[in-house]
Amino acid sequence: MVQPPGFEKQASDRSKLVCRLKKSLYRLKQAPSTWFEKLQAYLVDNLKFKELLADALLYFWGSDGHKIYIMVYVDDVVITGENATEVNSIIKEINTSFLSKI
């Protein structure tokens, strides 16, 4: 880790110091897993996505030959599919329940 510009300090023996993080990045250590559990429940229960056995972070929905995949990684969500209208519909659905930036 490198000290941020303007906050560089050296120890009395002229060695470099490191920064110490006093709080977790999400304020609460359990916040990322709580967010993921809510998203997972919403995708499976409300939007009827299926969790793939090969990867617990990949979700699938298919109807009338159209497929939509959602990949969740930490706090990023990637949505892709064959039909742009259906993908945009899913994005709107998720935006009604979760704060997100498009």
Coordinates of all heavy atoms in Angstrom, one line a residue:
M1 N 0.9 -1.2 0.0 CA 0.0 0.0 0.0 C 0.9 1.2 0.0 O 1.9 1.3 0.7 CB -0.9 0.0 1.2 CG -1.8 1.2 1.3 SD -3.0 0.9 2.7 CE -3.9 2.3 2.5
V2 N 0.5 2.2 -0.7 CA 1.2 3.5 -0.8 C 0.4 4.6 -0.1 O -0.8 4.6 -0.2 CB 1.4 3.9 -2.3 CG1 2.2 5.2 -2.4 CG2 2.2 2.7 -3.0
Q3 N 1.1 5.4 0.6 CA 0.5 6.5 1.3 C -0.1 7.5 0.3 O 0.5 7.8 -0.7 CB 1.4 7.2 2.2 CG 1.9 6.4 3.4 CD 2.9 7.1 4.3 OE1 2.9 8.3 4.3 NE2 3.8 6.4 4.9
P4 N -1.3 8.1 0.5 CA -1.9 9.0 -0.4 C -1.0 10.3 -0.5 O -0.4 10.7 0.5 CB -3.2 9.4 0.2 CG -3.5 8.3 1.3 CD -2.2 7.8 1.7
P5 N -1.0 10.9 -1.7 CA -0.2 12.1 -1.8 C -0.6 13.2 -0.8 O -1.8 13.4 -0.6 CB -0.5 12.6 -3.3 CG -0.9 11.3 -4.0 CD -1.6 10.5 -2.9
G6 N 0.3 13.8 -0.2 CA 0.0 14.9 0.8 C 0.0 14.3 2.2 O -0.1 15.1 3.1
F7 N -0.1 13.0 2.3 CA -0.1 12.4 3.7 C 1.1 11.5 4.0 O 1.0 10.7 4.9 CB -1.4 11.6 3.8 CG -2.7 12.4 3.7 CD1 -3.3 12.6 2.5 CD2 -3.2 13.0 4.9 CE1 -4.5 13.4 2.4 CE2 -4.3 13.8 4.8 CZ -5.0 14.0 3.6
E8 N 2.1 11.7 3.2 CA 3.3 10.9 3.4 C 4.0 11.2 4.7 O 4.2 12.4 5.0 CB 4.3 11.0 2.2 CG 3.8 10.6 0.9 CD 3.2 11.8 0.1 OE1 3.0 12.9 0.7 OE2 2.9 11.6 -1.1
K9 N 4.3 10.2 5.5 CA 5.1 10.4 6.7 C 6.2 9.4 6.8 O 6.1 8.3 6.2 CB 4.2 10.4 7.9 CG 3.2 11.5 8.0 CD 2.5 11.5 9.4 CE 1.6 12.7 9.4 NZ 1.0 12.9 10.7
Q10 N 7.2 9.7 7.6 CA 8.3 8.8 7.8 C 8.4 8.6 9.3 O 8.2 9.5 10.1 CB 9.6 9.3 7.2 CG 9.6 9.3 5.7 CD 10.9 9.7 5.1 OE1 11.8 10.2 5.8 NE2 11.1 9.5 3.8
A11 N 8.9 7.4 9.7 CA 9.1 7.2 11.1 C 10.4 7.9 11.5 O 11.1 8.4 10.7 CB 9.3 5.6 11.3
S12 N 10.6 7.9 12.8 CA 11.8 8.6 13.4 C 13.1 8.1 12.8 O 14.1 8.8 12.7 CB 11.8 8.6 14.9 OG 11.8 7.2 15.3
D13 N 13.1 6.8 12.4 CA 14.3 6.2 11.9 C 14.4 6.3 10.3 O 15.1 5.7 9.7 CB 14.5 4.7 12.3 CG 13.3 3.9 11.7 OD1 12.4 4.4 11.2 OD2 13.4 2.6 11.9
R14 N 13.5 7.2 9.8 CA 13.4 7.5 8.4 C 12.8 6.4 7.5 O 12.9 6.5 6.3 CB 14.8 8.0 7.8 CG 15.5 9.1 8.6 CD 14.9 10.4 8.4 NE 15.3 11.0 7.1 CZ 14.7 12.0 6.6 NH1 13.7 12.6 7.2 NH2 15.1 12.5 5.4
S15 N 12.3 5.4 8.1 CA 11.7 4.3 7.4 C 10.2 4.7 7.0 O 9.6 5.6 7.6 CB 11.6 3.0 8.2 OG 10.8 3.2 9.3
K16 N 9.7 4.2 5.9 CA 8.4 4.5 5.5 C 7.3 3.9 6.3 O 7.5 2.8 6.8 CB 8.2 4.1 4.0 CG 9.0 4.8 3.0 CD 8.7 4.4 1.6 CE 9.5 5.2 0.6 NZ 9.2 4.8 -0.8
L17 N 6.3 4.6 6.5 CA 5.1 4.1 7.3 C 4.1 3.6 6.3 O 4.1 4.0 5.2 CB 4.6 5.2 8.2 CG 5.5 5.7 9.3 CD1 4.9 6.9 10.0 CD2 6.0 4.7 10.2
V18 N 3.1 2.8 6.8 CA 2.0 2.4 6.0 C 0.7 2.9 6.7 O 0.7 3.3 7.8 CB 1.9 0.8 5.9 CG1 3.1 0.3 5.2 CG2 1.8 0.2 7.3
C19 N -0.3 2.9 5.9 CA -1.6 3.4 6.4 C -2.4 2.2 7.1 O -2.2 1.1 6.6 CB -2.5 3.9 5.2 SG -1.8 5.3 4.4
R20 N -3.1 2.5 8.1 CA -3.9 1.5 8.8 C -5.4 1.9 8.6 O -5.8 3.0 8.9 CB -3.6 1.5 10.3 CG -4.4 0.5 11.0 CD -4.0 0.5 12.5 NE -4.9 -0.4 13.2 CZ -5.4 -0.1 14.4 NH1 -5.0 1.0 15.0 NH2 -6.2 -0.9 15.0
L21 N -6.1 0.9 8.1 CA -7.6 1.1 7.9 C -8.3 0.9 9.2 O -8.2 -0.2 9.7 CB -8.0 0.2 6.8 CG -9.5 0.3 6.3 CD1 -9.7 1.7 5.7 CD2 -9.8 -0.8 5.3
K22 N -9.0 1.9 9.7 CA -9.6 1.7 11.0 C -11.1 1.2 10.9 O -11.6 0.8 11.8 CB -9.6 3.1 11.7 CG -8.2 3.5 12.1 CD -8.3 4.8 12.9 CE -6.9 5.2 13.4 NZ -6.9 6.4 14.2
K23 N -11.7 1.4 9.7 CA -13.0 0.9 9.5 C -13.0 0.0 8.3 O -12.3 0.2 7.4 CB -14.0 2.1 9.3 CG -14.2 3.0 10.5 CD -15.2 4.0 10.1 CE -15.5 4.9 11.4 NZ -16.5 5.9 11.1
S24 N -14.0 -0.9 8.2 CA -14.1 -1.7 7.0 C -14.7 -0.8 5.9 O -15.3 0.2 6.1 CB -15.1 -2.9 7.3 OG -16.4 -2.4 7.5
L25 N -14.4 -1.2 4.7 CA -14.8 -0.4 3.5 C -16.3 -0.2 3.4 O -16.7 0.8 2.9 CB -14.3 -1.0 2.3 CG -12.7 -1.1 2.2 CD1 -12.3 -1.8 0.9 CD2 -12.1 0.3 2.2
Y26 N -17.1 -1.1 3.9 CA -18.6 -1.0 3.8 C -19.2 -0.6 5.1 O -20.3 -0.8 5.4 CB -19.2 -2.3 3.3 CG -18.8 -2.6 1.9 CD1 -17.7 -3.4 1.5 CD2 -19.6 -2.0 0.8 CE1 -17.4 -3.6 0.2 CE2 -19.2 -2.3 -0.5 CZ -18.2 -3.1 -0.8 OH -17.9 -3.3 -2.1
R27 N -18.4 -0.1 6.1 CA -18.9 0.3 7.4 C -19.1 -0.9 8.3 O -18.7 -0.9 9.4 CB -20.1 1.2 7.4 CG -19.8 2.5 6.7 CD -21.0 3.4 6.8 NE -20.8 4.6 5.9 CZ -21.1 5.8 6.2 NH1 -21.6 6.0 7.4 NH2 -20.8 6.7 5.4
L28 N -19.9 -1.9 7.8 CA -20.1 -3.1 8.6 C -19.5 -4.3 7.8 O -19.7 -4.4 6.6 CB -21.6 -3.3 8.7 CG -22.4 -2.2 9.5 CD1 -23.9 -2.5 9.4 CD2 -21.9 -2.1 10.9
K29 N -18.9 -5.1 8.5 CA -18.2 -6.3 7.8 C -19.2 -7.2 7.1 O -18.9 -7.8 6.1 CB -17.4 -7.1 8.8 CG -16.2 -6.3 9.3 CD -15.4 -7.1 10.3 CE -14.2 -6.3 10.8 NZ -13.4 -7.0 11.7
Q30 N -20.4 -7.3 7.7 CA -21.4 -8.2 7.1 C -22.2 -7.5 6.0 O -23.1 -8.1 5.3 CB -22.3 -8.7 8.1 CG -23.3 -7.7 8.8 CD -22.7 -7.0 9.9 OE1 -21.5 -7.0 10.1 NE2 -23.6 -6.4 10.7
A31 N -22.1 -6.2 5.7 CA -22.9 -5.5 4.7 C -22.8 -6.1 3.3 O -23.8 -6.3 2.7 CB -22.5 -4.0 4.7
P32 N -21.6 -6.5 2.8 CA -21.6 -7.1 1.4 C -22.4 -8.4 1.3 O -23.1 -8.6 0.4 CB -20.1 -7.3 1.2 CG -19.4 -6.3 2.1 CD -20.3 -6.2 3.3
S33 N -22.3 -9.2 2.3 CA -23.0 -10.5 2.3 C -24.5 -10.3 2.4 O -25.3 -10.9 1.8 CB -22.5 -11.5 3.3 OG -22.6 -11.0 4.6
T34 N -24.9 -9.3 3.2 CA -26.3 -9.0 3.4 C -26.9 -8.4 2.1 O -28.0 -8.8 1.7 CB -26.5 -7.9 4.5 OG1 -26.0 -8.4 5.7 CG2 -28.0 -7.6 4.7
W35 N -26.1 -7.6 1.4 CA -26.6 -7.0 0.1 C -26.7 -8.2 -0.9 O -27.7 -8.2 -1.6 CB -25.6 -6.0 -0.4 CG -25.9 -5.5 -1.8 CD1 -26.8 -4.5 -2.1 CD2 -25.4 -6.0 -3.0 NE1 -26.8 -4.3 -3.5 CE2 -26.0 -5.2 -4.0 CE3 -24.5 -7.0 -3.3 CZ2 -25.7 -5.4 -5.4 CZ3 -24.2 -7.2 -4.7 CH2 -24.8 -6.4 -5.7
F36 N -25.7 -9.1 -0.9 CA -25.8 -10.2 -1.9 C -27.0 -11.1 -1.6 O -27.7 -11.5 -2.5 CB -24.5 -11.0 -1.8 CG -24.5 -12.2 -2.7 CD1 -24.4 -12.0 -4.1 CD2 -24.7 -13.4 -2.2 CE1 -24.5 -13.1 -5.0 CE2 -24.8 -14.5 -3.1 CZ -24.6 -14.4 -4.4
E37 N -27.3 -11.4 -0.3 CA -28.4 -12.2 0.0 C -29.7 -11.6 -0.4 O -30.6 -12.3 -0.9 CB -28.4 -12.5 1.5 CG -27.4 -13.4 2.0 CD -27.3 -13.5 3.5 OE1 -28.1 -12.8 4.2 OE2 -26.3 -14.1 4.0
K38 N -29.9 -10.3 -0.3 CA -31.1 -9.6 -0.7 C -31.2 -9.6 -2.3 O -32.3 -9.9 -2.8 CB -31.1 -8.1 -0.3 CG -31.4 -8.0 1.2 CD -31.5 -6.5 1.6 CE -31.8 -6.4 3.1 NZ -32.0 -5.1 3.5
L39 N -30.1 -9.4 -3.0 CA -30.1 -9.4 -4.4 C -30.4 -10.9 -4.9 O -31.2 -11.0 -5.8 CB -28.8 -9.0 -5.0 CG -28.6 -9.0 -6.5 CD1 -29.6 -8.1 -7.2 CD2 -27.2 -8.7 -6.9
Q40 N -29.8 -11.8 -4.3 CA -30.0 -13.2 -4.7 C -31.5 -13.6 -4.5 O -32.1 -14.2 -5.4 CB -29.2 -14.2 -3.8 CG -29.3 -15.6 -4.1 CD -28.5 -16.5 -3.2 OE1 -28.3 -16.2 -2.0 NE2 -28.0 -17.6 -3.7
A41 N -32.1 -13.3 -3.3 CA -33.5 -13.6 -3.1 C -34.4 -12.8 -4.1 O -35.4 -13.4 -4.6 CB -33.9 -13.1 -1.7
Y42 N -34.1 -11.6 -4.4 CA -34.9 -10.9 -5.4 C -34.8 -11.5 -6.8 O -35.8 -11.6 -7.4 CB -34.4 -9.4 -5.4 CG -35.2 -8.5 -6.4 CD1 -36.5 -8.1 -6.0 CD2 -34.7 -8.2 -7.6 CE1 -37.2 -7.3 -6.8 CE2 -35.5 -7.4 -8.5 CZ -36.7 -7.0 -8.1 OH -37.5 -6.2 -8.9
L43 N -33.6 -11.9 -7.2 CA -33.5 -12.5 -8.5 C -34.2 -13.8 -8.6 O -34.9 -14.1 -9.6 CB -32.0 -12.7 -8.9 CG -31.1 -11.4 -9.1 CD1 -29.7 -11.8 -9.3 CD2 -31.7 -10.7 -10.3
V44 N -34.1 -14.6 -7.6 CA -34.7 -16.0 -7.6 C -36.2 -15.9 -7.4 O -37.0 -16.5 -8.1 CB -34.0 -16.9 -6.6 CG1 -34.7 -18.2 -6.5 CG2 -32.5 -17.1 -7.0
D45 N -36.6 -15.2 -6.3 CA -38.0 -15.2 -5.9 C -38.9 -14.3 -6.8 O -40.0 -14.7 -7.2 CB -38.1 -14.8 -4.4 CG -37.5 -15.8 -3.5 OD1 -37.3 -16.9 -3.9 OD2 -37.1 -15.4 -2.4
N46 N -38.4 -13.1 -7.1 CA -39.2 -12.1 -7.8 C -39.1 -12.2 -9.3 O -40.1 -12.1 -10.0 CB -38.9 -10.7 -7.3 CG -39.3 -10.4 -5.9 OD1 -39.4 -11.4 -5.1 ND2 -39.4 -9.2 -5.5
L47 N -37.9 -12.3 -9.8 CA -37.6 -12.3 -11.2 C -37.5 -13.7 -11.8 O -37.4 -13.8 -13.0 CB -36.4 -11.5 -11.5 CG -36.4 -10.0 -11.1 CD1 -35.1 -9.3 -11.5 CD2 -37.6 -9.3 -11.7
K48 N -37.6 -14.7 -11.0 CA -37.6 -16.1 -11.4 C -36.3 -16.5 -12.2 O -36.4 -17.4 -13.1 CB -38.8 -16.4 -12.3 CG -40.1 -16.1 -11.6 CD -40.3 -16.8 -10.3 CE -41.6 -16.4 -9.6 NZ -41.7 -16.6 -8.2
F49 N -35.2 -16.0 -11.8 CA -33.9 -16.4 -12.3 C -33.5 -17.7 -11.6 O -33.9 -17.9 -10.5 CB -32.8 -15.4 -12.1 CG -32.8 -14.3 -13.2 CD1 -33.7 -13.3 -13.2 CD2 -31.8 -14.4 -14.2 CE1 -33.7 -12.3 -14.2 CE2 -31.8 -13.4 -15.2 CZ -32.7 -12.4 -15.2
K50 N -32.7 -18.5 -12.3 CA -32.2 -19.7 -11.7 C -30.7 -19.6 -11.4 O -30.0 -19.1 -12.3 CB -32.4 -20.9 -12.6 CG -33.9 -21.2 -12.7 CD -34.1 -22.5 -13.5 CE -35.6 -22.9 -13.5 NZ -36.3 -22.7 -14.6
E51 N -30.3 -20.0 -10.2 CA -28.9 -20.0 -9.9 C -28.2 -21.2 -10.6 O -28.6 -22.3 -10.4 CB -28.7 -20.0 -8.4 CG -27.3 -19.8 -7.9 CD -27.3 -19.8 -6.4 OE1 -28.4 -19.8 -5.7 OE2 -26.2 -19.7 -5.8
L52 N -27.1 -20.9 -11.3 CA -26.5 -22.0 -12.0 C -25.6 -22.8 -11.0 O -24.9 -22.3 -10.2 CB -25.6 -21.5 -13.2 CG -26.4 -20.9 -14.3 CD1 -25.5 -20.4 -15.4 CD2 -27.5 -21.8 -14.9
L53 N -25.6 -24.1 -11.2 CA -24.8 -25.0 -10.3 C -23.3 -24.8 -10.5 O -22.5 -25.0 -9.6 CB -25.2 -26.4 -10.5 CG -26.7 -26.8 -10.1 CD1 -26.9 -28.3 -10.4 CD2 -26.9 -26.5 -8.7
A54 N -22.9 -24.5 -11.7 CA -21.5 -24.4 -12.0 C -20.9 -23.1 -11.4 O -19.7 -23.1 -11.1 CB -21.3 -24.3 -13.5
D55 N -21.7 -22.1 -11.1 CA -21.2 -20.9 -10.5 C -22.3 -20.2 -9.8 O -23.3 -19.8 -10.3 CB -20.7 -19.9 -11.6 CG -19.9 -18.7 -11.1 OD1 -20.1 -18.4 -9.9 OD2 -19.2 -18.1 -11.9
A56 N -22.1 -20.1 -8.4 CA -23.2 -19.6 -7.6 C -23.4 -18.1 -7.8 O -24.4 -17.5 -7.3 CB -22.8 -19.8 -6.1
L57 N -22.6 -17.4 -8.6 CA -22.7 -16.0 -8.8 C -23.3 -15.7 -10.2 O -23.5 -14.5 -10.6 CB -21.4 -15.3 -8.7 CG -20.7 -15.5 -7.3 CD1 -19.3 -14.8 -7.4 CD2 -21.5 -14.9 -6.2
L58 N -23.7 -16.7 -10.9 CA -24.3 -16.6 -12.3 C -25.7 -17.0 -12.2 O -26.0 -18.1 -11.8 CB -23.5 -17.4 -13.3 CG -23.9 -17.3 -14.7 CD1 -23.8 -15.9 -15.2 CD2 -23.0 -18.3 -15.6
Y59 N -26.6 -16.2 -12.7 CA -28.0 -16.5 -12.8 C -28.5 -16.5 -14.2 O -28.0 -15.8 -15.1 CB -28.8 -15.4 -12.0 CG -28.4 -15.4 -10.5 CD1 -27.3 -14.7 -10.1 CD2 -29.1 -16.2 -9.6 CE1 -26.9 -14.7 -8.7 CE2 -28.7 -16.2 -8.3 CZ -27.6 -15.5 -7.8 OH -27.3 -15.6 -6.5
F60 N -29.5 -17.3 -14.5 CA -30.0 -17.5 -15.8 C -31.6 -17.4 -15.8 O -32.2 -17.9 -14.9 CB -29.6 -18.9 -16.3 CG -30.3 -19.4 -17.5 CD1 -29.9 -18.9 -18.8 CD2 -31.4 -20.3 -17.5 CE1 -30.6 -19.3 -19.9 CE2 -32.0 -20.7 -18.6 CZ -31.7 -20.2 -19.8
W61 N -32.1 -16.8 -16.9 CA -33.5 -16.8 -17.1 C -33.8 -17.0 -18.6 O -33.0 -16.5 -19.4 CB -34.1 -15.5 -16.7 CG -35.6 -15.3 -17.0 CD1 -36.6 -15.7 -16.2 CD2 -36.1 -14.7 -18.1 NE1 -37.8 -15.4 -16.8 CE2 -37.5 -14.8 -18.0 CE3 -35.6 -14.2 -19.3 CZ2 -38.4 -14.3 -19.0 CZ3 -36.5 -13.7 -20.3 CH2 -37.9 -13.8 -20.1
G62 N -34.7 -17.9 -18.9 CA -35.0 -18.2 -20.3 C -36.5 -18.3 -20.6 O -37.2 -18.9 -19.8
S63 N -36.9 -17.8 -21.7 CA -38.3 -17.9 -22.1 C -38.5 -17.6 -23.6 O -37.9 -16.7 -24.1 CB -39.2 -16.9 -21.3 OG -40.5 -16.9 -21.7
D64 N -39.3 -18.4 -24.2 CA -39.5 -18.2 -25.7 C -38.2 -18.1 -26.5 O -38.1 -17.3 -27.4 CB -40.4 -17.0 -25.9 CG -41.8 -17.2 -25.2 OD1 -42.3 -18.3 -25.1 OD2 -42.3 -16.1 -24.8
G65 N -37.2 -18.9 -26.1 CA -36.0 -18.8 -26.9 C -35.1 -17.7 -26.5 O -34.0 -17.5 -27.1
H66 N -35.5 -16.8 -25.6 CA -34.7 -15.7 -25.2 C -34.0 -16.1 -23.9 O -34.6 -16.7 -23.0 CB -35.5 -14.4 -25.0 CG -36.2 -14.0 -26.2 ND1 -35.6 -13.4 -27.3 CD2 -37.5 -14.0 -26.6 CE1 -36.4 -13.1 -28.2 NE2 -37.6 -13.5 -27.8
K67 N -32.7 -15.7 -23.8 CA -31.9 -16.0 -22.6 C -31.4 -14.7 -22.0 O -30.9 -13.8 -22.7 CB -30.8 -16.9 -22.9 CG -31.3 -18.3 -23.4 CD -30.1 -19.1 -23.8 CE -30.6 -20.3 -24.5 NZ -29.6 -21.0 -25.3
I68 N -31.3 -14.6 -20.7 CA -30.7 -13.5 -20.0 C -29.8 -14.1 -18.9 O -30.2 -15.0 -18.1 CB -31.7 -12.5 -19.3 CG1 -32.6 -11.9 -20.4 CG2 -31.1 -11.4 -18.5 CD1 -33.7 -11.0 -19.9
Y69 N -28.6 -13.5 -18.8 CA -27.7 -14.0 -17.8 C -27.3 -12.8 -16.9 O -27.1 -11.6 -17.4 CB -26.4 -14.5 -18.4 CG -26.6 -15.8 -19.2 CD1 -26.8 -15.7 -20.5 CD2 -26.5 -17.0 -18.5 CE1 -27.0 -16.9 -21.2 CE2 -26.6 -18.2 -19.2 CZ -26.9 -18.1 -20.6 OH -27.1 -19.3 -21.3
I70 N -27.2 -13.0 -15.6 CA -26.8 -12.0 -14.7 C -25.6 -12.6 -13.9 O -25.7 -13.6 -13.3 CB -27.9 -11.6 -13.7 CG1 -29.1 -10.9 -14.5 CG2 -27.4 -10.6 -12.6 CD1 -30.2 -10.5 -13.6
M71 N -24.5 -11.8 -13.9 CA -23.3 -12.2 -13.2 C -23.1 -11.2 -12.1 O -23.1 -10.0 -12.3 CB -22.1 -12.2 -14.1 CG -20.8 -12.7 -13.5 SD -20.9 -14.4 -13.1 CE -19.3 -14.7 -12.5
V72 N -22.9 -11.6 -10.9 CA -22.7 -10.8 -9.7 C -21.3 -11.0 -9.2 O -20.8 -12.1 -9.0 CB -23.7 -11.1 -8.6 CG1 -23.5 -10.2 -7.4 CG2 -25.1 -11.0 -9.1
Y73 N -20.5 -9.9 -9.1 CA -19.1 -10.0 -8.6 C -19.0 -8.8 -7.6 O -19.0 -7.7 -8.0 CB -18.1 -9.9 -9.7 CG -16.7 -10.0 -9.2 CD1 -16.2 -11.2 -8.7 CD2 -15.9 -8.9 -9.1 CE1 -14.9 -11.4 -8.3 CE2 -14.6 -9.0 -8.6 CZ -14.1 -10.2 -8.2 OH -12.8 -10.3 -7.7
V74 N -18.8 -9.1 -6.3 CA -18.7 -8.2 -5.2 C -19.9 -7.2 -5.3 O -21.0 -7.6 -4.9 CB -17.4 -7.5 -5.2 CG1 -17.2 -6.6 -4.0 CG2 -16.2 -8.4 -5.3
D75 N -19.7 -6.0 -5.7 CA -20.9 -5.1 -5.8 C -21.1 -4.7 -7.3 O -21.8 -3.7 -7.5 CB -20.6 -3.9 -4.9 CG -19.4 -3.1 -5.3 OD1 -18.6 -3.6 -6.1 OD2 -19.2 -2.0 -4.7
D76 N -20.6 -5.4 -8.2 CA -20.9 -5.2 -9.6 C -21.9 -6.2 -10.2 O -21.8 -7.4 -9.8 CB -19.6 -5.2 -10.4 CG -18.7 -4.1 -10.1 OD1 -19.2 -3.0 -9.9 OD2 -17.5 -4.3 -10.1
V77 N -22.7 -5.8 -11.0 CA -23.7 -6.7 -11.7 C -23.6 -6.5 -13.2 O -23.7 -5.4 -13.7 CB -25.1 -6.4 -11.2 CG1 -26.1 -7.3 -11.9 CG2 -25.3 -6.5 -9.7
V78 N -23.4 -7.6 -13.9 CA -23.3 -7.6 -15.3 C -24.6 -8.3 -15.9 O -24.8 -9.5 -15.5 CB -22.0 -8.3 -15.9 CG1 -22.0 -8.3 -17.4 CG2 -20.8 -7.6 -15.3
I79 N -25.3 -7.7 -16.7 CA -26.5 -8.2 -17.3 C -26.4 -8.3 -18.8 O -26.0 -7.3 -19.4 CB -27.8 -7.4 -16.9 CG1 -27.9 -7.3 -15.4 CG2 -29.0 -8.0 -17.5 CD1 -28.9 -6.3 -14.9
T80 N -26.6 -9.5 -19.3 CA -26.5 -9.6 -20.8 C -27.6 -10.6 -21.3 O -28.1 -11.4 -20.5 CB -25.1 -10.2 -21.2 OG1 -25.0 -10.1 -22.6 CG2 -24.8 -11.6 -20.7
G81 N -27.9 -10.5 -22.5 CA -28.9 -11.3 -23.1 C -29.1 -11.1 -24.6 O -28.4 -10.3 -25.2
E82 N -29.9 -11.9 -25.2 CA -30.1 -11.9 -26.6 C -31.1 -10.8 -27.1 O -31.0 -10.3 -28.2 CB -30.7 -13.2 -27.1 CG -29.8 -14.4 -26.8 CD -30.4 -15.7 -27.0 OE1 -31.7 -15.8 -27.1 OE2 -29.7 -16.7 -27.2
N83 N -32.0 -10.3 -26.2 CA -33.0 -9.4 -26.6 C -32.8 -8.1 -25.7 O -33.0 -8.1 -24.5 CB -34.4 -9.9 -26.3 CG -35.5 -9.0 -26.8 OD1 -35.4 -7.8 -26.6 ND2 -36.5 -9.6 -27.4
A84 N -32.4 -7.0 -26.4 CA -32.1 -5.7 -25.6 C -33.3 -5.2 -24.9 O -33.2 -4.7 -23.8 CB -31.6 -4.7 -26.6
T85 N -34.5 -5.4 -25.4 CA -35.7 -5.0 -24.7 C -35.9 -5.7 -23.4 O -36.2 -5.1 -22.4 CB -36.9 -5.2 -25.6 OG1 -36.7 -4.5 -26.9 CG2 -38.2 -4.6 -25.0
E86 N -35.7 -7.0 -23.4 CA -35.9 -7.8 -22.2 C -34.8 -7.4 -21.2 O -35.0 -7.4 -20.0 CB -35.9 -9.3 -22.5 CG -37.1 -9.7 -23.2 CD -37.1 -11.2 -23.5 OE1 -36.1 -11.9 -23.3 OE2 -38.2 -11.7 -24.0
V87 N -33.5 -7.2 -21.6 CA -32.4 -6.9 -20.8 C -32.8 -5.5 -20.1 O -32.6 -5.4 -18.9 CB -31.1 -6.8 -21.5 CG1 -30.0 -6.2 -20.7 CG2 -30.7 -8.2 -21.9
N88 N -33.2 -4.5 -20.9 CA -33.6 -3.2 -20.3 C -34.7 -3.3 -19.3 O -34.8 -2.6 -18.3 CB -33.9 -2.3 -21.4 CG -32.7 -1.8 -22.2 OD1 -31.6 -1.8 -21.7 ND2 -32.9 -1.5 -23.5
S89 N -35.7 -4.2 -19.6 CA -36.8 -4.5 -18.7 C -36.3 -5.0 -17.3 O -36.7 -4.6 -16.3 CB -37.8 -5.4 -19.3 OG -38.8 -5.8 -18.4
I90 N -35.3 -5.9 -17.4 CA -34.7 -6.5 -16.1 C -34.0 -5.4 -15.4 O -34.1 -5.3 -14.2 CB -33.8 -7.7 -16.5 CG1 -34.6 -8.9 -17.0 CG2 -33.0 -8.1 -15.2 CD1 -35.6 -9.5 -16.0
I91 N -33.2 -4.6 -16.1 CA -32.5 -3.5 -15.5 C -33.5 -2.5 -14.8 O -33.2 -2.1 -13.6 CB -31.6 -2.7 -16.5 CG1 -30.5 -3.6 -17.0 CG2 -31.1 -1.4 -15.9 CD1 -29.7 -3.1 -18.2
K92 N -34.6 -2.2 -15.4 CA -35.6 -1.3 -14.8 C -36.2 -2.0 -13.5 O -36.4 -1.3 -12.5 CB -36.7 -1.0 -15.8 CG -36.2 0.0 -16.8 CD -37.3 0.3 -17.8 CE -36.8 1.2 -18.9 NZ -37.8 1.4 -20.0
E93 N -36.4 -3.3 -13.6 CA -37.0 -4.0 -12.4 C -36.0 -4.0 -11.3 O -36.4 -3.7 -10.1 CB -37.2 -5.5 -12.8 CG -38.4 -5.7 -13.7 CD -39.7 -5.7 -13.0 OE1 -39.7 -6.0 -11.8 OE2 -40.7 -5.4 -13.6
I94 N -34.7 -4.2 -11.6 CA -33.7 -4.2 -10.5 C -33.6 -2.7 -9.9 O -33.4 -2.5 -8.7 CB -32.4 -4.7 -11.0 CG1 -32.5 -6.2 -11.3 CG2 -31.2 -4.5 -10.0 CD1 -31.3 -6.8 -12.0
N95 N -33.6 -1.7 -10.8 CA -33.5 -0.3 -10.4 C -34.7 0.1 -9.4 O -34.5 1.0 -8.6 CB -33.4 0.6 -11.5 CG -32.0 0.7 -12.1 OD1 -31.1 0.4 -11.4 ND2 -32.0 1.0 -13.4
T96 N -35.8 -0.6 -9.6 CA -36.9 -0.2 -8.7 C -36.7 -0.7 -7.3 O -37.2 -0.1 -6.3 CB -38.3 -0.8 -9.2 OG1 -38.2 -2.2 -9.3 CG2 -38.6 -0.2 -10.6
S97 N -35.9 -1.7 -7.1 CA -35.7 -2.3 -5.8 C -34.3 -2.0 -5.2 O -34.1 -2.0 -4.0 CB -35.8 -3.8 -5.8 OG -37.1 -4.2 -6.2
F98 N -33.3 -1.7 -6.0 CA -32.0 -1.4 -5.6 C -31.5 -0.1 -6.2 O -31.7 0.2 -7.3 CB -31.0 -2.5 -6.0 CG -31.3 -3.9 -5.4 CD1 -32.2 -4.7 -6.0 CD2 -30.8 -4.2 -4.2 CE1 -32.5 -6.0 -5.5 CE2 -31.1 -5.4 -3.6 CZ -31.9 -6.3 -4.3
L99 N -30.7 0.6 -5.4 CA -30.1 1.8 -5.9 C -28.9 1.4 -6.8 O -28.1 0.6 -6.4 CB -29.5 2.7 -4.8 CG -30.6 3.3 -3.9 CD1 -29.9 4.1 -2.8 CD2 -31.5 4.2 -4.7
S100 N -28.8 1.9 -8.0 CA -27.7 1.5 -8.9 C -27.4 2.6 -9.9 O -28.3 3.5 -10.1 CB -28.0 0.2 -9.7 OG -29.1 0.4 -10.5
K101 N -26.3 2.6 -10.4 CA -25.9 3.5 -11.4 C -25.7 2.8 -12.8 O -25.0 1.8 -12.8 CB -24.5 4.2 -11.0 CG -24.6 5.0 -9.8 CD -23.3 5.6 -9.4 CE -23.4 6.3 -8.1 NZ -22.1 6.9 -7.7
I102 N -26.3 3.3 -13.8 CA -26.2 2.7 -15.1 C -25.2 3.4 -15.9 O -25.1 4.6 -16.0 CB -27.6 2.7 -15.8 CG1 -28.6 1.9 -15.0 CG2 -27.5 2.1 -17.2 CD1 -30.0 1.9 -15.5

